[in-house]
Amino acid sequence: MARRRNFFRDARDMFENFVGREPFSLWREDVLRDYCNFGLLPDPNGDGYVLACPPTIEASVYMGNSATDIHQYIEKVELPVVVLRARQDTSDRTVMNFSKSPTWDQLAGEFKRGTDVYLPDMTHFIPMQDPQLTARYLAGDIPVRYGVR
């Protein structure tokens, strides 16, 4: 991730670079196009564009090196929380495998009103694979039972 290409002539260049390559090949094509159209910023060093979220920052989040530890705040969340989780990754965790979920299977239980929704046919990119399903959960159109600790 940290080595991901970070310079593009334009959104079309970015799309052509990512389309057909995993993990982007798992995304709906219209979602990938939106990412390319709206996920770039002008390159401060000249012509062209760079990713709005630099690859080194994205990698640091996945590697647990983020500057903010949010885990201490989970118990303070009073709102209902739904964790959409793809099939679990049981392989070597030193290799990122986005066809599986890096999300801890007990995460929802850490919230006062958390619910785990296991979607074994999906990958880590649930919102990019099925935006309508994600929107239905966000809108509350799919009933869930919230756990109570």
Side-chain angles (χ1 to χ4, degrees):
M1 226 176 309
R3 295 185 310 251
R4 179 180 297 159
R5 181 176 165 191
N6 190 33
F7 175 83
F8 301 93
R9 289 184 308 275
D10 52 29
R12 182 178 178 179
D13 180 33
M14 180 179 171
F15 178 82
E16 289 172 359
N17 182 68
F18 288 156
V19 71
R21 291 182 36 212
E22 280 200 22
F24 304 100
S25 61
L26 305 171
W27 298 16
R28 275 192 9 194
E29 187 173 307
D30 60 321
V31 174
L32 178 58
R33 285 192 187 280
D34 283 346
Y35 174 56
C36 296
N37 288 327
F38 302 105
L40 292 173
L41 295 173
D43 183 354
N45 298 318
D47 294 335
Y49 297 86
V50 294
L51 295 170
C53 179
T56 54
I57 300 296
E58 184 179 2
S60 73
V61 170
Y62 284 107
M63 298 309 293
N65 299 330
S66 129
T68 305
D69 179 12
I70 63 169
H71 297 96
Q72 62 183 320
Y73 300 107
I74 288 176
E75 66 185 26
K76 297 177 182 179
V77 176
E78 299 290 335
L79 297 171
V81 174
V82 178
V83 177
L84 302 182
R85 194 172 48 80
R87 62 183 166 262
Q88 197 66 40
D89 187 1
T90 57
S91 64
D92 178 6
R93 293 299 301 256
T94 62
V95 177
M96 293 303 295
N97 178 359
F98 289 114
S99 71
K100 309 260 173 86
S101 178
T103 304
W104 179 39
D105 62 356
Q106 301 299 307
L107 176 61
E110 295 296 305
F111 291 93
K112 291 177 183 171
R113 297 173 62 200
T115 299
D116 181 72
V117 177
Y118 182 56
L119 303 168
D121 295 333
M122 302 298 268
T123 72
H124 169 67
F125 297 104
I126 295 167
M128 292 78 151
Q129 287 181 273
D130 196 337
Q132 283 82 12
L133 177 71
T134 305
R136 289 179 62 210
Y137 275 105
L138 286 169
D141 293 344
I142 299 177
V144 295
R145 293 187 185 144
Y146 293 101
V148 179
R149 268 207 271 166

